[in-house]
Amino acid sequence: MNSRRDFIEKLTAPFLAIPFLRNDEQNDNSEIKHQNFEGPILRVAIMGLGSYGSRVAEAMKDCTKAKLTGVISGTPSKIQTWQSKYNIPEKNCYNYENFDAIKDNPDIDAVYIITPNALHKDHAIRVAKAGKHVICEKPMALNAKEGEQMIAACKKAGVKLLVGYRMHFEPKTLEVIRMRKDGELGKVMFFQGLAGFRIGDPTQWRLNKQLAGGGSMMDIGIYAVNGARYMVGEEPAWVTAQETKTDKIKFKEGVDETITFQLGFPGGATASCLSTYAMNGLDKFYLNCEKGFAEMQPSTGYGPIKGRTNKGELTQEHRTHQTVQMEEMADIILNNKQPVVPVNGEEGLKDLKIIDAIYTAIKTGKKQSLSL
Amino acid sequence: MNSRRDFIEKLTAPFLAIPFLRNDEQNDNSEIKHQNFEGPILRVAIMGLGSYGSRVAEAMKDCTKAKLTGVISGTPSKIQTWQSKYNIPEKNCYNYENFDAIKDNPDIDAVYIITPNALHKDHAIRVAKAGKHVICEKPMALNAKEGEQMIAACKKAGVKLLVGYRMHFEPKTLEVIRMRKDGELGKVMFFQGLAGFRIGDPTQWRLNKQLAGGGSMMDIGIYAVNGARYMVGEEPAWVTAQETKTDKIKFKEGVDETITFQLGFPGGATASCLSTYAMNGLDKFYLNCEKGFAEMQPSTGYGPIKGRTNKGELTQEHRTHQTVQMEEMADIILNNKQPVVPVNGEEGLKDLKIIDAIYTAIKTGKKQSLSL
């Protein structure tokens, strides 16, 4: 199976949907992997069958410790397609009205919430109340207040709450973090994170304040916010931010197009970041330290991360991020594994607190103190 | 002579002082170049015989249109060394007490002021009053008010005032500017300028508020300020800035260690920049546009600039920046040539206005409007 798996891993996502990979082959493949694995398997339902949900489902076919066993969607035709594609029985299919009944379904351990941002909080709380572990795409919620409600609900229900920080498991990223932790880079002085793309369809939910809770910052800027924290290895003490809007028709009130923001860290490091929906292909991290540096470009995209440090090129092997993430999250949920960089609700909450402060800094024009 | 000149150009500055290049050989070489050139020659006195003054003098040996004919220094031993090295007659040597007498010296057309920042204004005004053209190292002065006084004095005296913006003549920089002007990059969206180095000797004038007028921003941050303007091709409408200081002993009150600043441009572009005396080797420009990009690293250092655009690597030939600068400045002063990017007093003043606003933005914590 190895050569076949390698082949699939080399395919880019759009190719994975082409017909010559017949459904039964895919299912066989998936089944065999799970059969070879002797430990417990995390059985996951995906909520929200959009493009990112599809990407996660495809990636999970290569997981040995996690398996897609259910779906939640408001679109019956999507459910049908997924059922046949991933061999999901009717009893594991839910819509947004009835998914609380997942409580009584022994085939599902966790629900991966991949719905528009504004729905995360209510969906997560309902999943928690149903006694299932919650994996929630980032941003975890619209703001810190909602994030706190989610954390409280999961705590009360005795379920785990994880946020979809796939970069926390990415090998090149982890190597830079290791170098920094082991003192190989020396004192951290400066982080730069540029995160953005030119957004297309103006009618999509990401450009709807009610559903997205903001604009580029919620969707792509959060990579720079989160990246600043895991690259610098401290929590920021202050933030300043500036907004620029060139297209007020596409980017309506409350939907940010371009934001520059700066973070100050207790150790004296500064971060200077950009979040944008108006520029092509911005995906760069740069960490400057007293004894070394790390440069990554792409730094957070779905494909292979590329980068170099003062020691040379980063050569850690690429595996599909979402495959690695789901394998690791299975270990976190089932075996209480502690990841190098947390992916729990508290981690998600810190990013939300910073994003709240960024929006406040823009509104007031004033530096915002942070206590994370 | 060409092969010899090529050889000298390939040498790095420290090597230029080694003994096997005997003084008489150097002078012969210099003389022959000027003899071959039939147009007028700009005869320059250098004021301030420190390390950068030496670099300019060395570079001028390869000029055909400009020639070092005089020196102004407070250190007699330096004058002696320079006299023998550059064949400068006694009558063209001055100190800071008597250099107003340069007025009556027909061998000197212009004075290149390379003294500490705080002295630029008075020195420039005295040179102007002596009826000689002024070339002044950047920053032109400590603040915009001083800059305006210098401009007024030169105007009144009928002499030209030029600021040492060597990058305005650098071929790779000019190619990016050409691409941007010709629309090959499309609309400019984002500029990033990182400029800094780890400063050594804590007793040097650059770390003395009275002489430097500030810290990293006056000395190296100005490259990002100026670069933002010539790369974006507009004048910024606002600026925000944040200061970080990790070493309060080395960087005393009024001497900035690290500053991040942001500029907003009328066309919607944003610049995000860093100025620092605390980090090694920060010399990066990045211009992101709708149709293309330019990356330069090093972007403003004394050696060859390296960079690439969406069209590929920048391959324009490197010549010693200061040689090119002095050739071009000779043409500007003697032949009224108009450079692609201005190097006049008004250009220097714009940077000073931005730097003034950066310091005010830090002090007040508020966005500063600019009208340049």
Side-chain angles (χ1 to χ4, degrees):
Chain A
M1 296 308 300
N2 269 346
S3 63
R4 183 179 157 75
R5 195 191 302 179
D6 292 345
F7 170 69
I8 290 174
E9 279 177 355
K10 276 173 194 143
L11 291 173
T12 56
F15 280 89
L16 285 168
I18 58 175
F20 79 86
L21 290 174
R22 294 208 329 273
N23 289 333
D24 51 347
E25 284 184 351
Q26 291 175 1
N27 294 334
D28 287 352
N29 185 30
S30 171
E31 288 304 317
I32 285 167
K33 274 174 204 154
H34 296 125
Q35 282 169 13
N36 287 344
F37 179 67
E38 300 199 347
I41 287 174
L42 184 74
R43 293 158 307 169
V44 178
I46 290 182
M47 178 189 287
L49 308 183
S51 66
Y52 195 69
S54 302
R55 188 181 286 270
V56 171
E58 287 298 316
M60 284 181 71
K61 292 197 297 190
D62 287 320
C63 286
T64 54
K65 299 178 184 174
K67 188 186 172 188
L68 177 65
T69 55
V71 290
I72 301 155
S73 170
T75 312
S77 63
K78 280 189 187 173
I79 292 184
Q80 272 195 323
T81 307
W82 280 55
Q83 276 194 269
S84 73
K85 202 168 178 181
Y86 300 107
N87 199 23
I88 295 167
E90 188 65 30
K91 68 179 184 64
N92 291 357
C93 298
Y94 298 87
N95 61 38
Y96 292 107
E97 282 71 47
N98 68 14
F99 80 78
D100 307 277
I102 211 163
K103 182 169 182 276
D104 304 313
N105 191 330
D107 291 349
I108 293 167
D109 304 312
V111 176
Y112 195 160
I113 299 170
I114 315 182
T115 52
N117 307 338
L119 309 174
H120 288 182
K121 185 201 70 173
D122 287 346
H123 287 160
I125 293 173
R126 283 171 67 187
V127 169
K129 282 187 178 163
K132 304 299 181 183
H133 299 293
V134 176
I135 305 173
C136 183
E137 246 319 287
K138 61 189 172 320
M140 180 184 173
L142 295 187
N143 51 54
K145 191 182 164 197
E146 285 193 358
E148 282 161 355
Q149 292 172 331
M150 289 164 67
I151 291 171
C154 290
K155 198 172 178 181
K156 191 177 171 191
V159 297
K160 288 207 165 94
L161 169 57
L162 277 58
V163 183
Y165 288 117
R166 66 190 157 80
M167 300 317 294
H168 293 201
F169 308 108
E170 195 283 318
K172 295 185 181 74
T173 304
L174 288 173
E175 170 60 8
V176 174
I177 291 169
R178 184 203 64 72
M179 287 177 70
R180 190 249 302 147
K181 282 187 168 178
D182 287 355
E184 292 176 19
L185 298 171
K187 190 179 167 194
V188 178
M189 300 302 293
F190 178 65
F191 172 76
Q192 172 207 279
L194 309 182
F197 60 91
R198 184 187 300 275
I199 200 161
D201 177 13
T203 66
Q204 65 187 287
W205 70 259
R206 285 182 177 80
L207 295 174
N208 178 332
K209 163 81 173 165
Q210 264 59 49
L211 288 174
S216 73
M217 180 56 62
M218 300 300 284
D219 183 45
I220 186 77
I222 192 172
Y223 283 99
V225 170
N226 190 251
R229 294 175 49 238
Y230 65 67
M231 294 290 272
V232 173
E234 294 177 46
E235 299 303 347
W238 57 258
V239 62
T240 47
Q242 307 79 35
E243 184 177 4
T244 303
K245 195 174 282 195
T246 63
D247 185 343
K248 291 191 179 176
I249 294 163
K250 192 167 187 178
F251 305 100
K252 300 203 163 46
E253 179 67 25
V255 179
D256 48 283
E257 175 189 318
T258 299
I259 289 175
T260 45
F261 64 96
Q262 303 76 41
L263 300 166
F265 293 85
T270 308
S272 178
C273 302
L274 175 73
S275 166
T276 184
Y277 266 162
M279 304 177 207
N280 284 324
L282 271 180
D283 186 4
K284 293 168 84 161
F285 278 8
Y286 173 56
L287 186 72
N288 193 30
C289 306
E290 279 199 353
K291 295 199 294 184
F293 70 88
E295 275 183 341
M296 304 169 95
Q297 182 184 10
S299 55
T300 66
Y302 295 147
I305 302 306
K306 290 183 187 168
R308 64 187 185 108
T309 73
N310 47 300
K311 285 167 66 185
E313 202 179 337
L314 290 164
T315 55
Q316 288 69 26
E317 196 189 0
H318 169 70
R319 281 185 71 204
T320 303
H321 300 176
Q322 293 82 3
T323 305
V324 180
Q325 174 194 326
M326 294 310 293
E327 288 285 82
E328 293 290 328
M329 287 192 165
D331 255 346
I332 292 168
I333 290 174
L334 299 174
N335 308 317
N336 214 23
K337 184 174 173 180
Q338 297 299 311
V340 174
V341 187
V343 292
N344 54 20
E346 288 73 14
E347 173 76 8
L349 179 61
K350 286 175 184 172
D351 285 352
L352 289 178
K353 284 181 174 174
I354 296 172
I355 292 174
D356 284 356
I358 286 171
Y359 285 133
T360 307
I362 289 168
K363 203 174 281 178
T364 62
K366 285 182 185 157
K367 183 183 279 199
Q368 300 296 305
S369 291
L370 296 164
S371 54
L372 301 181
Chain B
M1 294 308 299
N2 270 345
S3 65
R4 182 180 158 73
R5 195 191 302 178
D6 291 345
F7 170 70
I8 291 175
E9 280 177 355
K10 275 172 196 143
L11 291 173
T12 56
F15 280 89
L16 285 168
I18 59 177
F20 78 86
L21 289 175
R22 294 209 326 275
N23 289 332
D24 52 346
E25 283 184 349
Q26 290 174 1
N27 293 332
D28 286 354
N29 185 28
S30 172
E31 287 305 319
I32 285 167
K33 273 176 207 153
H34 295 126
Q35 281 168 14
N36 287 344
F37 179 67
E38 301 201 345
I41 288 173
L42 185 74
R43 292 158 308 169
V44 178
I46 290 182
M47 177 188 287
L49 308 184
S51 66
Y52 195 71
S54 301
R55 189 181 284 272
V56 172
E58 286 299 315
M60 283 181 71
K61 291 197 297 190
D62 286 319
C63 286
T64 54
K65 299 178 184 174
K67 188 186 173 185
L68 177 65
T69 56
V71 290
I72 302 157
S73 170
T75 312
S77 63
K78 279 189 187 174
I79 291 183
Q80 271 193 326
T81 308
W82 280 56
Q83 275 194 273
S84 73
K85 201 168 180 183
Y86 301 107
N87 199 23
I88 295 167
E90 189 65 30
K91 70 179 183 63
N92 292 357
C93 297
Y94 299 87
N95 60 38
Y96 291 107
E97 282 71 49
N98 69 15
F99 80 78
D100 307 277
I102 212 164
K103 182 169 181 276
D104 304 314
N105 191 328
D107 291 349
I108 294 167
D109 304 311
V111 175
Y112 195 159
I113 300 170
I114 315 183
T115 53
N117 307 339
L119 309 174
H120 289 182
K121 184 199 72 172
D122 287 346
H123 287 158
I125 292 173
R126 283 172 67 188
V127 170
K129 281 186 178 163
K132 304 297 181 183
H133 300 293
V134 176
I135 305 174
C136 183
E137 247 318 287
K138 62 192 171 318
M140 180 184 173
L142 295 187
N143 51 53
K145 192 182 163 196
E146 285 193 0
E148 281 161 355
Q149 292 172 330
M150 288 163 69
I151 291 171
C154 290
K155 198 171 177 181
K156 190 177 171 191
V159 297
K160 287 208 165 90
L161 170 56
L162 275 58
V163 183
Y165 289 116
R166 68 190 155 80
M167 300 317 294
H168 293 201
F169 307 109
E170 195 282 318
K172 294 186 182 75
T173 304
L174 288 174
E175 170 60 7
V176 174
I177 292 169
R178 184 203 64 72
M179 286 176 71
R180 189 251 300 148
K181 281 188 168 178
D182 287 355
E184 293 175 19
L185 298 171
K187 191 180 166 192
V188 178
M189 300 301 295
F190 179 64
F191 171 76
Q192 173 206 278
L194 309 183
F197 60 93
R198 184 186 299 276
I199 200 160
D201 178 13
T203 66
Q204 65 187 287
W205 70 259
R206 285 183 176 79
L207 295 174
N208 178 331
K209 163 81 174 165
Q210 266 57 51
L211 288 174
S216 72
M217 180 57 63
M218 299 301 284
D219 184 44
I220 186 76
I222 192 173
Y223 283 99
V225 170
N226 190 251
R229 294 174 50 238
Y230 66 67
M231 294 289 271
V232 173
E234 294 177 45
E235 299 303 347
W238 57 258
V239 62
T240 47
Q242 306 80 35
E243 185 177 4
T244 304
K245 194 174 282 193
T246 63
D247 185 343
K248 291 191 180 178
I249 294 163
K250 191 167 188 179
F251 305 100
K252 301 203 163 46
E253 179 67 25
V255 179
D256 48 283
E257 175 189 318
T258 299
I259 289 175
T260 44
F261 64 96
Q262 304 77 40
L263 300 166
F265 293 85
T270 308
S272 178
C273 301
L274 176 73
S275 166
T276 183
Y277 267 161
M279 305 178 206
N280 284 325
L282 269 181
D283 186 4
K284 292 167 84 160
F285 278 7
Y286 173 55
L287 187 71
N288 194 30
C289 307
E290 279 199 353
K291 294 199 294 184
F293 70 89
E295 274 183 342
M296 303 169 97
Q297 183 183 10
S299 56
T300 65
Y302 295 149
I305 302 306
K306 289 182 187 169
R308 63 186 186 109
T309 70
N310 47 301
K311 285 168 67 184
E313 202 180 336
L314 289 163
T315 55
Q316 288 70 25
E317 195 189 1
H318 169 70
R319 282 184 70 203
T320 302
H321 300 175
Q322 293 83 0
T323 306
V324 180
Q325 174 194 326
M326 294 309 292
E327 288 286 81
E328 292 290 328
M329 287 190 163
D331 254 345
I332 292 168
I333 291 174
L334 299 174
N335 308 317
N336 215 23
K337 185 176 174 179
Q338 298 299 310
V340 174
V341 186
V343 292
N344 55 21
E346 287 74 13
E347 174 75 6
L349 179 61
K350 286 175 184 171
D351 284 352
L352 290 178
K353 284 182 174 174
I354 295 172
I355 292 174
D356 284 356
I358 286 172
Y359 285 133
T360 307
I362 290 168
K363 202 173 282 178
T364 62
K366 285 184 188 157
K367 182 183 279 197
Q368 299 296 304
S369 290
L370 295 164
S371 54
L372 303 180

